[in-house]
Amino acid sequence: MSRKLNLRERYQRMTRDLAWEPSYQSKSDIYPQMEFEGIKIEDWDKWEDPFRLTMDSYWKYQAEKERKLYSIIDAFAQNNGHMNVTDARYVNALKLFLTGVSPLEYAAHRGFAMVGRQFPGAGAQVACQMQSIDELRHVQTQIHTISHYNKYFNGFHDFRHMHDRVWYLSVPKSFFDDAMSAGPFEFITAISFSFEYVLTNLLFMPFMSGAAFNGDMATVTFGFSAQSDESRHMTLGLEVIKFMAEQHPDNIPIIQKWIDKWFWRGYRLLTLVGMMMDYMLPKKVMSWREAWEIYFEQNGGALFEDMARYGLRMPKYWEQTIEGKDHITHQAWGIFYNYTHAAAFHTWMPDNEEMDWLSAKYPDSFDQYYRPRFEHWREQAEAGNRFYNPTLPMLCQTCQIPMGFTEPGDPTTIGFRASDFEGNRYHFCSDGCKDIFDNEPQKFCQAWMPVHQIYQGNCGGATVPDVLDWYHLNFGVDNFDYAQSPDRQHWQQWKGEAAEESDAPDEAA
Amino acid sequence: MAVKAITPDYKGEALDGVDNFHGNIMFHVNWEKHLMFCAPLAFAMPPDAPFSTLLEETLPTAYGYHPDWKKVDWSKVEWTLDHEPFDPKPDASLEENGIVHRSLLRFTVPGAEGIADSGS
């Protein structure tokens, strides 16, 4: 007993050896969700944990990270760190990120706890347990950031409540609800592989670099602290796919279908991130188009070349994302510009320098399709006639984003798809979203569609102020154009900039 | 199989059947080549409302902001209803015109291609 265990032995003793063969309950009763998805696992001991991290060292590493993180967060608060961001417009990107993504971190915490309970293998159980705790840590650190910014800027005050109600937050919410209401193998394919492994770089790299570029050290800090966990999560994602693929050939078509589905769902969700990169960062890092080329076309392309040995191919409709990279962020910003009177963050039109940046980054699309629209909006706003779309939009039943995406190859025509199911018609923005519905109509016919719910009278009333009240948004404070916002007025006061005419109420002082 | 579920014969409850709209139908309208309106629109109206209400009240309120709106001449506008060519009868009701819950109307105004002919 006096001999010290080496790393391999420690890992063996403190993970695999913690499991046991049940003797008085059947395995199928203990793990009731293992069969219905059709995934066949012959030997859970083949699960490889590339990190060989034991729970005791996990606590030690994480505690160190926490100590560093909270000392920086404290310093940020004490030194009024929010005053160092490039411009208060930037904070609107944070509003979208922290109200849209932070609740997903919490959902991931719950999801990994659930699937960790369902997997019979000790290696997989421990990996899921650690990720579950990681995700709880992430949401906590982000709530500290919310808490700080909430003292100085509008729109952060009730993110939990808004997550369940606000029309655009239904996009990330429904993404995760879809994963969590699937079986454990689909959940882990969706979140660990498709999102964390294939797409997470598009969330973290540009966004955290964007935060650093724009002087937001609070976000950089939680970002870097989370990033070391993310590399573990990404490795888990890859291991999950390899494990399932190697366990049984029957698993391959099931996995491929999930990859197709979750790639498309992730792509639609990341449109919101792309929009932040192209429009909401006062100092730009890179364009969405460039990020997609690096992180999906190059890295993702190489990954799927590798996966070919299992019989897995590129996700269906990936070609459409190559065409779409020139368009989706401009279309998404247009959607939020249309409906910012019903949003908890502000929008604006790019200034001349930003328009020129967009022209340079999007030489094949911006000047032809989007600049005329944006310049018109800007002229109208300057003339006191700022455009707000007065009518609720048609939504895609799957991604829940307003149907603002155009037909591949035809950037002036909206893409329309539809399916009939049990006497009702459902509409979609794309082939990808239609396929997802058609594979599981019994699931997606239940989607809580914000526009439909408003028309059914379930959202507090029929007017925008009624609905915003039900969302817990402050009408005239959290919503409308940045130009008239109290946020902007405060920023100018704090910075001693020439105050512009504004009769907005002084709420945050 | 309509869904993979742990319970046999799992059935979802459709949230958006016409019965949930208190006597209205919800349908959609898109003005082609005018993407300044970022997406097609959703309307909830009684099925016995005359189609002319759409032309005279609903759509002018929805789309009137656009400088091309003054080019609209309903007698020349080209319509589709659920992707089929459509010749609406203004005095007939939505229902009599064949518009049902979740129908999609698309219209094109000849000679109107949006801001600077960009499809906006």
Side-chain angles (χ1 to χ4, degrees):
Chain A
M1 284 302 283
S2 60
R3 188 175 65 88
K4 208 172 173 202
L5 298 174
N6 69 30
L7 206 62
R8 193 183 164 77
E9 289 167 327
R10 270 175 69 82
Y11 172 75
Q12 191 64 32
R13 294 283 173 84
M14 297 195 67
T15 56
R16 304 299 171 100
D17 279 7
L18 297 177
W20 65 90
E21 280 300 308
S23 55
Y24 58 88
Q25 289 286 343
S26 73
K27 275 204 158 181
S28 60
D29 283 345
I30 299 174
Y31 305 110
Q33 296 183 15
M34 279 302 94
E35 307 283 330
F36 78 97
E37 296 175 274
I39 293 290
K40 295 173 181 159
I41 304 297
E42 316 228 304
D43 183 3
W44 277 97
D45 287 338
K46 293 270 166 47
W47 176 282
E48 292 284 344
D49 179 356
F51 281 96
R52 302 204 180 280
L53 188 63
T54 56
M55 215 59 211
D56 57 334
S57 14
Y58 173 82
W59 289 121
K60 200 172 121 230
Y61 291 138
Q62 299 302 82
E64 268 171 41
K65 281 190 215 166
E66 291 281 271
R67 268 194 297 278
K68 285 182 196 155
L69 175 77
Y70 284 104
S71 63
I72 297 174
I73 287 181
D74 284 347
F76 184 84
Q78 283 162 18
N79 296 318
N80 287 328
H82 59 278
M83 291 297 291
N84 295 327
V85 302
T86 41
D87 182 54
R89 284 185 303 163
Y90 165 77
V91 178
N92 292 285
L94 265 189
K95 292 178 192 179
L96 184 52
F97 186 91
L98 291 170
T99 59
V101 176
S102 301
L104 300 193
E105 306 267 15
Y106 185 68
H109 154 66
R110 295 176 61 210
F112 279 97
M114 281 156 56
V115 299
R117 167 63 186 82
Q118 289 301 329
F119 288 140
Q125 287 171 354
V126 172
C128 289
Q129 181 188 20
M130 286 177 188
Q131 181 155 356
S132 177
I133 299 167
D134 289 342
E135 305 289 0
L136 189 59
R137 192 176 83 83
H138 296 177
V139 69
Q140 283 173 345
T141 59
Q142 290 168 33
I143 289 170
H144 282 286
T145 302
I146 292 173
S147 166
H148 179 81
Y149 279 97
N150 181 49
K151 293 181 183 129
Y152 303 98
F153 297 93
N154 296 311
F156 289 107
H157 54 280
D158 209 351
F159 72 96
R160 247 328 275 126
H161 178 92
M162 291 179 197
H163 186 59
D164 289 336
R165 299 191 178 194
V166 176
W167 59 276
Y168 56 91
L169 298 179
S170 80
V171 174
K173 179 186 165 70
S174 73
F175 175 93
F176 233 95
D177 284 359
D178 183 1
M180 284 173 78
S181 54
F185 288 109
E186 183 179 343
F187 175 87
I188 205 161
T189 304
I191 305 304
S192 293
F193 179 72
S194 298
F195 202 75
E196 299 261 28
Y197 195 82
V198 183
L199 297 174
T200 204
N201 278 334
L202 283 148
L203 181 65
F204 264 83
M205 302 302 281
F207 198 66
M208 293 312 152
S209 314
F213 261 51
N214 287 280
D216 175 14
M217 294 322 287
T219 298
V220 171
T221 304
F222 79 65
F224 280 134
S225 188
Q227 211 161 41
S228 53
D229 297 341
E230 295 299 331
S231 58
R232 192 156 23 79
H233 302 173
M234 289 174 74
T235 313
L236 174 62
L238 196 56
E239 172 54 27
V240 162
I241 291 295
K242 281 164 60 180
F243 177 68
M244 289 193 294
E246 284 168 4
Q247 283 290 311
H248 204 287
D250 290 356
N251 294 345
I252 300 297
I254 302 174
I255 300 169
Q256 183 68 55
K257 209 162 200 177
W258 288 338
I259 291 175
D260 293 346
K261 169 182 173 181
W262 288 97
F263 167 76
W264 192 260
R265 291 222 67 179
Y267 167 64
R268 278 292 186 241
L269 181 60
L270 285 173
T271 305
L272 303 184
V273 177
M275 171 188 101
M276 290 187 220
M277 294 166 63
D278 283 345
Y279 287 92
M280 303 180 82
L281 300 179
K283 276 180 88 172
K284 318 279 189 223
V285 177
M286 59 166 77
S287 66
W288 164 257
R289 184 185 205 256
E290 291 165 318
W292 192 248
E293 284 167 357
I294 296 169
Y295 295 115
F296 179 70
E297 289 177 48
Q298 291 170 25
N299 297 358
L303 167 70
F304 281 99
E305 259 175 51
D306 243 24
M307 307 281 278
R309 69 192 141 120
Y310 297 119
L312 294 169
R313 52 153 175 77
M314 285 281 268
K316 206 173 172 186
Y317 304 126
W318 68 273
E319 300 92 337
Q320 293 188 11
T321 70
I322 308 300
E323 198 271 348
K325 73 187 173 190
D326 280 319
H327 301 287
I328 58 170
T329 59
H330 318 304
Q331 293 168 356
W333 190 239
I335 291 171
F336 283 98
Y337 191 82
N338 268 239
Y339 293 108
T340 203
H341 52 307
F345 64 92
H346 306 294
T347 57
W348 56 88
M349 274 295 110
D351 62 24
N352 287 335
E353 201 183 320
E354 290 167 325
M355 291 265 196
D356 291 345
W357 183 87
L358 289 160
S359 298
K361 294 295 182 184
Y362 293 95
D364 302 329
S365 60
F366 188 75
D367 284 351
Q368 191 178 351
Y369 300 110
Y370 304 104
R371 186 187 273 269
R373 188 180 311 174
F374 290 0
E375 286 182 346
H376 177 76
W377 276 339
R378 199 171 62 180
E379 284 161 21
Q380 293 298 310
E382 284 165 3
N385 187 31
R386 204 277 196 197
F387 175 59
Y388 294 105
N389 193 325
T391 316
L392 297 176
M394 179 182 189
L395 304 178
C396 170
Q397 183 77 19
T398 301
C399 69
Q400 305 201 3
I401 299 175
M403 299 253 307
F405 299 114
T406 48
E407 191 63 41
D410 184 0
T412 62
T413 302
I414 295 286
F416 287 100
R417 301 290 183 276
S419 295
D420 290 322
F421 177 66
E422 293 187 342
N424 284 308
R425 174 153 299 174
Y426 299 89
H427 296 276
F428 314 97
C429 66
S430 54
D431 297 317
C433 282
K434 175 176 158 61
D435 279 10
I436 292 167
F437 178 94
D438 288 346
N439 285 329
E440 293 180 294
Q442 288 290 9
K443 183 173 197 175
F444 289 94
C445 73
Q446 303 176 60
W448 191 94
M449 308 297 292
V451 166
H452 309 178
Q453 290 297 316
I454 291 170
Y455 278 141
Q456 289 178 34
N458 299 331
C459 302
T463 67
V464 173
D466 287 344
V467 174
L468 259 53
D469 193 45
W470 187 78
Y471 287 170
H472 288 192
L473 299 194
N474 299 313
F475 190 88
V477 176
D478 301 330
N479 60 344
F480 292 124
D481 197 283
Y482 177 70
Q484 287 83 41
S485 67
D487 270 6
R488 182 182 184 219
Q489 197 190 22
H490 296 145
W491 184 255
Q492 287 176 331
Q493 284 167 359
W494 298 336
K495 286 288 183 183
E497 289 169 11
E500 307 237 342
E501 279 174 46
S502 171
D503 52 4
D506 192 1
E507 290 271 332
Chain B
M1 192 184 306
V3 71
K4 270 186 190 172
I6 196 158
T7 41
D9 304 320
Y10 175 84
K11 214 170 144 25
E13 182 200 347
L15 286 195
D16 297 323
V18 69
D19 294 345
N20 293 346
F21 286 81
H22 311 291
N24 288 333
I25 54 170
M26 182 173 65
F27 60 96
H28 306 286
V29 178
N30 191 58
W31 185 8
E32 300 296 309
K33 308 293 174 198
H34 287 79
L35 294 177
M36 187 167 102
F37 302 94
C38 63
L41 303 176
F43 297 99
M45 286 168 65
D48 56 4
F51 192 84
S52 57
T53 308
L54 204 60
L55 304 183
E56 288 158 21
E57 294 169 29
T58 315
L59 297 183
T61 305
Y63 289 119
Y65 181 92
H66 201 290
D68 274 357
W69 188 253
K70 59 182 181 295
K71 297 184 188 169
V72 173
D73 172 354
W74 291 122
S75 66
K76 298 204 171 75
V77 163
E78 294 153 15
W79 292 89
T80 65
L81 172 60
D82 297 321
H83 304 290
E84 299 291 331
F86 175 53
D87 187 12
K89 293 172 191 61
D91 298 332
S93 69
L94 298 175
E95 195 173 30
E96 287 159 352
N97 270 292
I99 297 164
V100 297
H101 187 53
R102 303 311 306 275
S103 273
L104 169 63
L105 284 157
R106 302 170 71 174
F107 69 96
T108 304
V109 177
E113 296 281 329
I115 307 295
D117 290 338
S118 68
S120 290

